[in-house]
Amino acid sequence: MIKVALTNLGKYNEGELVFKWLELPATEEEIEEAKVAIGINEEYEEWFISDYETAIEGLHIGEYENLDYINELAERFEDMNYDEQDAVGAVIEATGYSLEEALDIVEKGSYTLYSECDTLEDLARELFDDGCFGDTKAMGILVNYIDYASLGYDLGCDGYYETSFGVICVD
């Protein structure tokens, strides 16, 4: 899910781009092999991340991020099931939180993801149909006059967000 281009900083400063793509999470051996492959040694000791690829919506990785830290987060992410991984992406997309913050939220279960709802209006309709706004049978014909768009707008004001993964509410 996360690939980084590990790049030799000394060579880069000399005008040569020497890098190796590294898929995370990686073992210590794989990380060391990548460093050797780009020429990290006594002469060239520093490296940076010149590029990255990820399927996690909204995730940003800086040039000088701690590789061990990112690797640890990638491992936590990989250990999750697909629904939890989608929730992590939704939290990042909706709130702009870091990967670590999103992982913490999902691991604690401090969210509700409505993956079947694309919009707040869809969620308002689903919640209404589920009886969250009262007994629909008791409302009689008034049910025909429910403004789901306005209900959805109010949900947005209450901390619900539309994401590419569905609608999410972070507790």
Side-chain angles (χ1 to χ4, degrees):
M1 286 289 182
I2 301 173
K3 285 175 54 175
V4 295
L6 200 60
T7 307
N8 185 315
L9 181 61
K11 294 273 190 183
Y12 179 79
N13 288 334
E14 294 172 356
E16 189 177 349
L17 186 59
V18 179
F19 69 94
K20 178 166 179 60
W21 283 102
L22 180 63
E23 193 166 327
L24 302 178
T27 64
E28 287 183 35
E29 293 80 28
E30 291 169 329
I31 292 171
E32 285 308 311
E33 286 173 13
K35 288 179 180 178
V36 167
I38 64 171
I40 298 300
N41 54 36
E42 290 176 12
E43 183 181 356
Y44 297 105
E45 298 175 353
E46 296 181 293
W47 53 267
F48 70 105
I49 298 169
S50 59
D51 197 6
Y52 66 94
E53 294 177 359
T54 181
I56 304 171
E57 241 0 91
L59 176 62
H60 300 286
I61 298 174
E63 291 179 331
Y64 300 104
E65 294 279 350
N66 181 313
L67 186 59
D68 293 330
Y69 169 73
I70 297 170
N71 196 45
E72 211 174 282
L73 296 179
E75 197 170 296
R76 285 174 60 191
F77 183 80
E78 188 178 72
D79 288 343
M80 294 180 159
N81 66 43
Y82 291 122
D83 292 338
E84 292 169 327
Q85 289 177 351
D86 284 352
V88 168
V91 169
I92 292 171
E93 188 179 323
T95 63
Y97 287 168
S98 70
L99 178 56
E100 180 178 22
E101 291 168 319
L103 287 166
D104 289 344
I105 287 168
V106 172
E107 287 172 347
K108 290 178 189 169
S110 301
Y111 71 96
T112 305
L113 178 62
Y114 302 90
S115 57
E116 69 285 350
C117 296
D118 295 326
T119 66
L120 292 169
E121 185 175 342
D122 291 344
L123 178 60
R125 185 176 308 279
E126 181 175 309
L127 293 176
F128 186 84
D129 290 346
D130 288 346
C132 293
F133 296 108
D135 183 7
T136 56
K137 290 180 183 176
M139 292 180 191
I141 63 168
L142 292 176
V143 169
N144 300 326
Y145 298 96
I146 301 299
D147 183 353
Y148 295 107
S150 292
L151 280 174
Y153 174 82
D154 287 347
L155 288 170
C157 293
D158 287 340
Y160 289 79
Y161 302 90
E162 292 177 1
T163 74
S164 59
F165 299 94
V167 176
I168 191 164
C169 179
V170 178
D171 303 334

